[in-house]
Amino acid sequence: FKFIKSGFSSLTLPTNTLNQNNPYVINWDYSGNISTIKIDLLDDNNNFKTNIIDNSNASLKTYTWTPTLDKTMLQNNNVKIRISDISNNAGSIDSSVFTIVKPSLTIFTTSIQNNNNKIIMSNNNTYDISWNHQLDIAKINLFLMKNNIKVLINNNAIVSNRPVNNKPYTWNLPLTTQNVSDISGSGYYIRIEDVDDIADPVDSPVFEIIAPKFSSLTIPSTVNQNQNTIINWDYSGNINTVKIDLIDA
């Protein structure tokens, strides 16, 4: 008679690139006496990342796995699968290294770019913000940013928890009264974030915000009663109608 040493002979996946939240079939084969196995995910340096299944029947020789890794696990997305004999009699076998593709976002601010990358605050002005996504993303947040800082009051979003397929978002201006006085100038951009923090945030091209405000007011230092006097002013943004009042000093 002949002794057959227990051991794994093959471990295969259907592709070298797997998408987050999609199902994939893992197949294996073995010889000898292996009753129970576990399947682990490791990075390409053999560091343990997560257990996929514990105490599975080895004779099934197949398992359907849906990667649902958090952002930390996806930082190094070059990984491999290891199947091990629970009894340790047959050791283990590793798959080849493969890649897990995480969800991703792109952002479009075409209406701003078509306006020479300028936003003019006005009660009548709106700007469409749109985006595309790959793989499974549920909801997004949009933030107004400058120098990597969220500039709206208390880090408020332009819009929060918006279903990813509910696009575009029409941004109505002006902002709040407080923001009109605080926010103007160049270097602003919009950041889109995955609410579940799996996809990386993505930034729009930079643009300028032109707030409606007066920049100058000139009048002669001496004004004579009952004589016409020219008053000059200048402004930025969208101001349609003004009033002029006389007040004491």
Side-chain angles (χ1 to χ4, degrees):
F1 57 89
K2 181 179 180 181
F3 288 104
I4 299 177
K5 182 179 179 180
S6 298
F8 295 98
S9 54
S10 66
L11 168 57
T12 59
L13 287 94
T15 177
N16 290 328
T17 302
L18 278 62
N19 293 332
Q20 175 90 329
N21 300 312
N22 285 10
Y24 297 93
V25 176
I26 304 169
N27 294 302
W28 64 89
D29 203 357
Y30 64 92
S31 59
N33 186 10
I34 302 175
S35 58
T36 309
I37 56 100
K38 67 174 182 175
I39 305 175
D40 295 319
L41 183 70
L42 290 76
D43 66 20
D44 54 355
N45 292 316
N46 290 316
N47 297 310
F48 175 83
K49 294 179 77 74
T50 189
N51 175 252
I52 295 174
I53 189 172
D54 229 344
N55 295 313
S56 179
N57 189 336
S59 63
L60 295 175
K61 297 186 179 182
T62 187
Y63 178 76
T64 300
W65 174 48
T66 300
T68 54
L69 307 181
D70 63 29
K71 190 169 186 177
T72 301
M73 293 182 185
L74 285 168
Q75 286 176 350
N76 178 3
N77 60 349
N78 292 320
V79 293
K80 60 183 178 179
I81 284 174
R82 175 172 292 169
I83 294 183
S84 304
D85 176 12
I86 293 292
S87 69
N88 288 323
N89 291 329
S92 61
I93 186 173
D94 291 355
S95 72
S96 57
V97 173
F98 59 92
T99 300
I100 298 178
V101 180
K102 63 183 177 181
S104 62
L105 289 160
T106 52
I107 186 169
F108 302 99
T109 52
T110 305
S111 61
I112 300 175
Q113 292 171 267
N114 288 344
N115 196 44
N116 295 318
N117 290 316
K118 297 180 187 295
I119 283 182
I120 299 176
M121 287 195 205
S122 166
N123 289 326
N124 299 318
N125 285 359
T126 61
Y127 297 89
D128 283 347
I129 306 168
S130 194
W131 54 88
N132 285 337
H133 72 284
Q134 290 184 333
L135 306 181
D136 191 12
I137 296 176
K139 296 180 179 181
I140 57 97
N141 297 327
L142 296 174
F143 293 96
L144 181 62
M145 308 289 296
K146 185 173 184 177
N147 297 325
N148 208 34
I149 297 172
K150 297 171 183 175
V151 299
L152 297 187
I153 308 170
N154 299 322
N155 291 330
N156 281 341
I158 295 171
V159 65
S160 57
N161 292 306
R162 188 171 181 87
V164 74
N165 290 319
N166 187 6
K167 60 182 180 179
Y169 176 75
T170 300
W171 189 17
N172 294 298
L173 298 175
L175 308 175
T176 68
T177 300
Q178 189 270 350
N179 288 329
V180 168
S181 63
D182 289 350
I183 298 175
S184 64
S186 59
Y188 291 93
Y189 52 95
I190 293 169
R191 175 169 292 173
I192 185 169
E193 294 185 355
D194 173 14
V195 170
D196 293 325
D197 198 30
I198 300 296
D200 292 329
V202 177
D203 297 337
S204 76
V206 297
F207 52 83
E208 180 183 0
I209 296 179
I210 302 175
K213 62 181 179 181
F214 293 98
S215 56
S216 66
L217 172 61
T218 58
I219 188 171
S221 58
T222 301
V223 176
N224 294 323
Q225 181 84 336
N226 298 317
Q227 290 185 2
N228 289 335
T229 300
I230 296 177
I231 304 170
N232 297 299
W233 64 88
D234 202 358
Y235 63 93
S236 61
N238 192 342
I239 300 175
N240 296 316
T241 308
V242 302
K243 69 174 183 175
I244 302 174
D245 294 322
L246 178 67
I247 59 175
D248 62 29

